[in-house]
Amino acid sequence: RGEEVEGKSFKDFLSESLSEVNRLQVEAQDAMNRFATGQTQNQADVISAVRQAELAFNMMMEIRNKLVDAYQEVLRMRV
């Protein structure tokens, strides 16, 4: 079993983070669709939703990159 922080495993943390990134991307897509169909005229809300989704995705990619780097470092270790 992995390390737990505040009762949550690393696996649970990653799973919840992926779900949150997906939720933000869906919200951004919905905001863009509402704007494109004329259901809203608020550009600031659309830009904010898209930016939040972009930041969350970029953060998740950085986490993935660090995990891959750590895995590759473990593979290079001599036993």
Side-chain angles (χ1 to χ4, degrees):
R1 189 163 151 109
E3 289 292 318
E4 292 197 15
V5 177
E6 298 177 16
K8 200 181 286 190
S9 70
F10 186 65
K11 175 186 160 193
D12 291 339
F13 167 76
L14 285 179
S15 179
E16 288 174 11
S17 296
L18 285 171
S19 294
E20 180 67 11
V21 169
N22 185 58
R23 184 188 67 76
L24 289 169
Q25 288 180 333
V26 168
E27 285 181 6
Q29 185 65 47
D30 288 344
M32 287 188 295
N33 288 340
R34 285 191 311 275
F35 186 76
T37 58
Q39 295 173 11
T40 184
Q41 298 299 317
N42 194 338
Q43 292 177 348
D45 286 348
V46 175
I47 292 169
S48 176
V50 170
R51 186 68 180 139
Q52 282 181 329
E54 180 183 31
L55 288 172
F57 181 79
N58 288 341
M59 177 64 83
M60 186 55 61
M61 289 305 297
E62 285 300 319
I63 291 170
R64 182 197 71 75
N65 292 344
K66 292 297 181 184
L67 288 172
V68 169
D69 289 345
Y71 177 73
Q72 289 173 342
E73 184 65 29
V74 168
L75 290 178
R76 286 191 290 267
M77 287 182 182
R78 294 184 183 215
V79 180

